[in-house]
Amino acid sequence: QVHLVESGGGSVQAGGSLRLSCVASTIIPVGTHMGWFRQAPEKEREGVAAIDSDGRTNYAESVKGRFTISKDTTNNTLYLQMNSLKPEDTAMYSCAIGWWLRLDPLGFGYWGQGTQVTVSS
């Protein structure tokens, strides 16, 4: 079973940037999709970005142009570069491994514990 560990969260002011990392404990199999999700207090989990084995990406409308998902297969790491952060981006961010590019948690089966991102105005 693969374990995912996120890091890079923190507190920033609006307009700032953060880079999240997600390290997998094993080699990510070919054909695997990976994604970032977030959940704010009293809200449902929502998909932020996903990337497939060929590097194709999918972003939520709310983060397009501000966030960039990428991966480094040599060190089994997924990244999320977040720029121009807004207070509404405040949430617990988790990475996941799954089998589709849709930003739907149902398509992801392995989850990390998450890293908190707080954006102040």
Side-chain angles (χ1 to χ4, degrees):
Q1 183 172 350
V2 63
H3 294 281
L4 303 172
V5 179
E6 304 93 337
S7 63
S11 297
V12 296
Q13 290 191 325
S17 298
L18 285 173
R19 189 193 195 201
L20 305 184
S21 298
C22 168
V23 180
S25 60
T26 63
I27 295 174
I28 305 301
V30 174
T32 299
H33 297 55
M34 299 189 74
W36 286 98
F37 292 79
R38 66 186 182 187
Q39 187 167 20
E42 301 182 354
K43 291 189 176 181
E44 292 188 356
R45 177 180 283 169
E46 65 170 339
V48 176
I51 186 167
D52 71 8
S53 57
D54 294 324
R56 290 172 296 192
T57 57
N58 184 24
Y59 293 94
E61 285 297 324
S62 60
V63 306
K64 279 184 180 178
R66 300 189 297 123
F67 291 11
T68 302
I69 188 171
S70 62
K71 61 181 179 177
D72 184 346
T73 54
T74 61
N75 60 14
N76 303 322
T77 303
L78 179 73
Y79 301 101
L80 184 68
Q81 178 66 45
M82 306 186 295
N83 299 327
S84 302
L85 282 162
K86 305 175 181 180
E88 50 263 43
D89 294 319
T90 295
M92 180 70 75
Y93 285 71
S94 301
C95 63
I97 291 177
W99 47 87
W100 61 24
L101 264 181
R102 281 184 277 175
L103 300 176
D104 184 341
L106 291 177
F108 292 81
Y110 296 95
W111 294 84
Q113 292 299 308
T115 184
Q116 178 68 37
V117 171
T118 302
V119 184
S120 58
S121 58

